[in-house]
Amino acid sequence: MSGERPFGVVLRGLRQQARLTIEELAEASGVSGRAIGDMERGRSRVPQRRSVVALAEGLGLADTERKALLAAARARRPARAVGAAVPPRSVGDFTGRDRELARLREAADRSRTGEGVPVSVISGAPGCGKTTLALKAAADLAGEFPDGCFVVDLHGVEGPVDSGEALLKLLKALEVPDRRLAQEDTPGRAGLLRALLAERRCLVVLDNARDEAQVRPLLPPGGRSLVLVTSRRPLTGLEDVDRLALSEMAQSEAVELLSRILGRERAEAETGAVARVAELCGRLPLALRVAGNWLAVRSEWSVEHLARRLTDEERRLGALAAGDVRVEAAFELSYRQLAPRAARMLRLLSLVPGPDMTAAYGAALTATDVSEAEDVMEDLVEAGLLQASFTGRYQLHDLLRLFARARLSREEGPGERDAAEDRLRAWLLETATVAGRWVDGAPPVSWQGLVPLESPEQARAWLESEVPAWFAALRAAAARGEHTRVVETAAAMEWLVGLWVLWEHWPEVFRLSSEAAAALDDPYLRAVHLNLYSWTLADCEQRYREALERADEALECARRAQDASQQGWALNYAALAHYYLGETQEGFDKVRAAVDLFEAAGDHEAWLSAMTFYRVFPRELGRAEEALALHERIIAFLDAPDCPVREHIAERCRAKTISGLGRDYAALGRWREAADQFRRGLLQMRRIGVPDVEGSLLLDLGQALIELGETTEARSCLRQILALGDTADSRDLETARELLDSLARE
């Protein structure tokens, strides 16, 4: 028995094999003799699954024959697009979305028993491929639903189909007689549809739903059918549904889709350009398809040519058009449905200078409170124009950002745009300044802001999570000549540098602030910010000669300002650059002078910091015993009951001193004592949270353990350095790899 043979032929063969007449089979199955005769002659449509099951029971079929009869029925029952004469369009070049398809397959499997949730809502931004995913799933799963696969376009974005009309089309597709339909009003038809979907095993795709009210009458409460709903909105008002939120494709999937549209040979000839086009399209399926079709029509143009066109943000959306398909038009349909305050929020969010945001950004832009801004931003999420994450952050897709920015230019006057940018920049830099002072142990007395900053840890977390935005705001403030604001913000970051030294933009922060101080013509501020610039040039970018030049400038400014502490810092940072350059004696002389200046000025915290660095030089000069003596002096200072240094500074210096003691012992060949001190320093640094220093200490400990022959623990230390990844110093990472390789060869 082959599933490829016509259903009527299979049925007749099984009836004859059972030695039954049509009348006898009709009596045994409950299906009319006339219907059976029409089926066998191919004069009628294939019956619904319940009729096929009844025939199988009447024939007394074994499992194999029963499956053959059902397969023959399924083969003659194609998927239908409700209200149209053609089946759903092909998705032959469907690419990626493996995880999402697996989710829908699982939903179909659960529906088989009638115990699963019978509705899956596929939501996402315009152009993210919701319909394509649903149709692909319908094509893959159609064989699992013997009572039919139906697709209805609800036209939710423009000219939405009335629920009553959709009900009527679905009921007709399910072969409900017109006479029965005429007897029912809309609620009655909804009940009839629910009953039929609960009784049968159908797959229904409700595409492009506008809202909950439009689809609610079309959904079954249970049963073995499955309904896939696509919508730009997540339809959060629906209960007992599975939800599948779509976003942009992964980069590899986006490149694959472009390659399939262009053809392998052409794509492989310009792999870099294809990848750039995928990125510039925001990995949005609609944009990718438009770009691919555009190139397919213009076969004489290179992919690189399109990449160059798309690089221009002002032209990108306009370039993403092929025939009557325009990415901008897809966004426009959703935008037109927004309430005025939501549309304004979308426009203003295009000004956020980072990849994501919190509701506080919306509040700053619109001069409202956070709760009100959050409500409006959630409206945008509901409209599919903003993505929300479980962490409370929101994302605006790159292409939607360009769309919103264009709308901002058209619909808001320059004054309103400038005012919104000013509000956002002022809020970001004010909050960054307060947070930086918190990290420095100086909590604000009565600051009330849009975000809670109630501890140094909370302040540091905000600075690190929002760095793309406040750093962009600092750049903008510098470009606008807001010199005082730039200087104040940068000055508040001093202690964050020591905790987060590997951030690559610190030199630029203090270059901007030193330039702002010069514009203010204040020699003291110039000294402060040139010193910080020198420090970050040496520590962050290893530009030691430039660091020396900035330190010399700072020293001259500090002398003009007659400030001993800033003179000390200039000498201290010059010593740092000399140390890294291997100019040990020059560094020793300058840091010793810095210690003397700090001591004379009574600047205890600066003295402690300089002493912690000063004690390194005797060891480098071969005088490790002298370094040990300096260690004792520092510890005695820290242990004094009236130690005049703030706790967080004292803890950091104590950790560095303990670690330095380990290096002193290592220089003397006292490896056991060195390892013990490195372990103590490591615990202290981990408690404070300085990952780059943690990597250096792990390296010191690993080297000491190798000297002690304790290679198992040494390997563990070296692997921990590699696990730190980018948070560790690149030089430590390289040395750790070399040591692991050498241990592997032993």
Side-chain angles (χ1 to χ4, degrees):
M1 308 284 178
S2 169
E4 296 179 357
R5 296 166 62 198
F7 174 77
V9 173
V10 175
L11 176 61
R12 181 186 295 111
L14 290 170
R15 179 179 61 77
Q16 291 174 346
Q17 182 179 308
R19 299 180 182 276
L20 293 175
T21 65
I22 289 179
E23 290 74 15
E24 289 171 335
L25 178 56
E27 184 177 351
S29 65
V31 179
S32 72
R34 181 176 178 179
I36 294 172
D38 287 344
M39 291 178 208
E40 290 187 358
R41 297 180 183 89
R43 293 178 179 173
S44 67
R45 300 175 65 178
V46 177
Q48 297 296 331
R49 186 175 188 277
R50 64 180 185 279
S51 298
V52 181
V53 170
L55 290 168
E57 294 291 335
L59 289 166
L61 298 180
D63 188 55
T64 301
E65 294 168 328
R66 179 190 182 95
K67 288 181 178 178
L69 186 64
L70 289 168
R74 283 197 299 270
R76 291 291 305 278
R77 190 179 292 119
R80 281 162 283 172
V82 177
V86 294
R89 69 176 185 268
S90 170
V91 287
D93 62 356
F94 186 89
T95 302
R97 303 295 196 195
D98 293 338
R99 182 184 64 84
E100 291 83 357
L101 283 172
R103 282 269 305 274
L104 296 176
R105 289 190 192 100
E106 290 169 5
D109 290 341
R110 289 193 300 270
S111 71
R112 185 178 292 110
T113 63
E115 297 176 358
V117 176
V119 180
S120 291
V121 175
I122 305 168
S123 63
C128 70
K130 302 177 292 295
T131 297
T132 304
L133 174 67
L135 293 179
K136 170 62 174 173
D140 290 351
L141 298 171
E144 301 293 321
F145 293 89
D147 291 327
C149 173
F150 310 98
V151 180
V152 57
D153 187 349
L154 297 175
H155 296 281
V157 181
E158 53 178 344
V161 171
D162 179 77
S163 298
E165 181 183 348
L167 271 171
L168 193 61
K169 289 181 177 180
L170 276 170
L171 289 169
K172 285 186 174 182
L174 289 167
E175 300 180 353
V176 176
D178 289 344
R179 184 171 59 253
R180 174 69 188 278
L181 292 175
Q183 296 171 356
E184 302 286 353
D185 57 10
T186 297
R189 290 171 182 171
L192 180 58
L193 177 64
R194 287 194 292 270
L196 289 172
L197 292 180
E199 173 190 346
R200 302 179 186 180
R201 182 153 167 75
C202 302
L203 175 61
V204 178
V205 177
L206 301 176
D207 187 35
N208 197 8
R210 180 184 179 87
D211 53 28
E212 294 89 342
Q214 188 187 28
V215 298
R216 195 174 274 119
L218 310 176
L219 304 180
R224 296 183 303 118
S225 291
L226 178 65
V227 178
L228 307 182
V229 183
T230 74
S231 176
R232 297 185 179 190
R233 300 174 177 271
L235 306 182
T236 52
L238 297 180
E239 299 177 353
D240 297 324
V241 300
D242 280 336
R243 300 189 184 281
L244 185 58
L246 282 191
S247 59
E248 64 269 19
M249 305 178 84
Q251 175 68 4
S252 59
E253 294 177 342
V255 168
E256 174 65 17
L257 178 57
L258 274 176
S259 299
R260 295 183 72 172
I261 297 171
L262 294 176
R264 292 291 174 191
E265 184 176 350
R266 189 176 178 191
E268 289 173 1
E270 294 186 80
T271 54
V274 169
R276 284 198 300 280
V277 168
E279 284 286 1
L280 291 167
C281 288
R283 306 191 302 280
L284 194 70
L286 176 61
L288 293 165
R289 188 168 296 283
V290 167
N293 290 347
W294 193 91
L295 285 168
V297 171
R298 295 163 178 82
S299 57
E300 73 282 3
W301 285 26
S302 68
V303 182
E304 179 61 36
H305 180 80
L306 178 60
R308 287 195 298 271
R309 284 173 60 91
L310 296 178
T311 300
D312 183 350
E313 290 189 348
E314 298 297 324
R315 299 176 58 191
R316 189 178 305 167
L317 279 176
L320 287 172
D324 62 350
V325 181
R326 296 170 52 244
V327 173
E328 187 173 11
F331 297 160
E332 179 71 27
L333 289 172
S334 289
Y335 178 76
R336 287 207 303 261
Q337 295 180 2
L338 295 175
R341 67 173 190 164
R344 179 171 181 262
M345 177 68 81
L346 181 68
R347 295 192 296 269
L348 293 180
L349 288 178
S350 69
L351 298 174
V352 174
D356 57 7
M357 67 207 80
T358 62
Y361 285 78
L365 284 162
T366 56
T368 58
D369 61 42
V370 174
S371 296
E372 184 178 345
E374 186 175 43
D375 289 343
V376 181
M377 291 169 78
E378 286 296 326
D379 289 343
L380 292 174
V381 172
E382 286 290 319
L385 296 174
L386 197 63
Q387 292 175 281
S389 72
F390 69 93
T391 60
R393 302 191 72 84
Y394 299 90
Q395 285 185 316
L396 186 61
H397 188 275
D398 288 347
L399 294 181
L400 274 167
R401 186 187 301 272
L402 295 180
F403 172 83
R405 192 175 299 163
R407 281 288 169 186
L408 180 65
S409 298
R410 285 184 222 164
E411 299 181 32
E412 304 279 358
E416 173 54 25
R417 173 177 177 150
D418 290 346
E421 284 186 314
D422 289 346
R423 289 193 296 268
L424 180 63
R425 184 173 62 258
W427 169 69
L428 284 167
L429 295 183
E430 179 189 1
T431 309
T433 301
V434 172
R437 289 172 181 161
W438 251 119
V439 173
D440 191 17
V445 176
S446 59
W447 183 76
Q448 294 271 329
L450 295 175
V451 294
L453 296 176
E454 298 171 358
S455 68
E457 293 75 23
Q458 198 171 41
R460 178 179 173 182
W462 187 89
L463 284 167
E464 293 185 6
S465 64
E466 310 307 324
V467 65
W470 68 251
F471 179 50
L474 186 73
R475 282 174 162 169
R480 294 171 65 89
E482 298 172 357
H483 305 308
T484 300
R485 180 173 282 170
V486 171
V487 164
E488 288 178 351
T489 304
M493 300 295 161
E494 178 178 356
W495 283 98
L496 184 64
V497 178
L499 297 172
W500 193 23
V501 72
L502 291 182
W503 185 50
E504 61 182 332
H505 296 296
W506 286 126
E508 183 177 353
V509 168
F510 295 111
R511 176 183 62 78
L512 293 173
S513 65
S514 60
E515 290 171 354
L520 293 170
D521 196 22
D522 186 322
Y524 170 75
L525 287 178
R526 282 200 71 195
V528 169
H529 291 275
L530 283 167
N531 274 326
L532 294 170
Y533 188 20
S534 172
W535 173 26
T536 54
L537 282 170
D539 251 13
C540 301
E541 293 192 349
Q542 296 81 54
R543 292 157 59 184
Y544 304 124
R545 290 298 174 197
E546 290 180 65
L548 275 173
E549 292 171 4
R550 300 294 82 73
D552 288 343
E553 285 184 56
L555 182 60
E556 176 60 29
C557 290
R559 285 172 176 163
R560 282 171 46 209
Q562 298 181 348
D563 189 281
S565 288
Q566 288 305 317
Q567 292 176 52
W569 282 119
L571 291 166
N572 188 76
Y573 292 135
L576 179 67
H578 283 304
Y579 173 78
Y580 282 128
L581 288 166
E583 299 166 356
T584 309
Q585 187 62 53
E586 292 91 334
F588 177 72
D589 294 340
K590 287 185 177 180
V591 75
R592 182 168 58 185
V595 168
D596 292 342
L597 280 166
F598 290 138
E599 191 166 20
D603 191 338
H604 302 293
E605 291 182 352
W607 176 86
L608 177 60
S609 180
M611 276 292 292
T612 305
F613 183 36
Y614 175 43
R615 66 178 303 281
V616 172
F617 284 90
R619 181 176 70 243
E620 295 294 320
L621 293 167
R623 306 198 298 266
E625 295 290 351
E626 184 180 333
L628 285 172
L630 288 171
H631 165 82
E632 298 300 330
R633 184 180 173 189
I634 295 170
I635 294 299
F637 175 84
L638 291 170
D639 287 345
D642 58 347
C643 178
V645 175
R646 286 172 292 173
E647 183 179 355
H648 71 285
I649 296 173
E651 285 185 347
R652 182 175 173 84
C653 287
R654 186 185 294 277
K656 292 176 72 173
T657 304
I658 291 169
S659 306
L661 181 58
R663 296 186 182 103
D664 295 339
Y665 284 131
L668 294 168
R670 294 160 63 176
W671 296 108
R672 179 59 61 195
E673 292 161 291
D676 290 343
Q677 296 304 321
F678 290 141
R679 288 192 184 95
R680 287 181 60 205
L682 188 59
L683 287 173
Q684 187 87 345
M685 282 297 181
R686 281 176 170 165
R687 187 167 62 83
I688 298 171
V690 190
D692 61 300
V693 179
E694 180 183 334
S696 296
L697 282 172
L698 282 166
L699 182 59
D700 288 331
L701 178 56
Q703 290 172 320
L705 291 168
I706 291 171
E707 293 291 340
L708 291 167
E710 299 173 7
T711 55
T712 300
E713 187 181 352
R715 287 190 183 93
S716 174
C717 291
L718 298 171
R719 291 190 185 109
Q720 288 178 62
I721 298 171
L722 300 184
L724 290 172
D726 292 340
T727 59
D729 189 285
S730 59
R731 292 163 296 188
D732 293 337
L733 288 168
E734 183 179 352
T735 304
R737 291 189 189 95
E738 291 172 356
L739 288 173
L740 280 169
D741 289 342
S742 66
L743 289 173
R745 292 193 294 269
E746 291 180 1

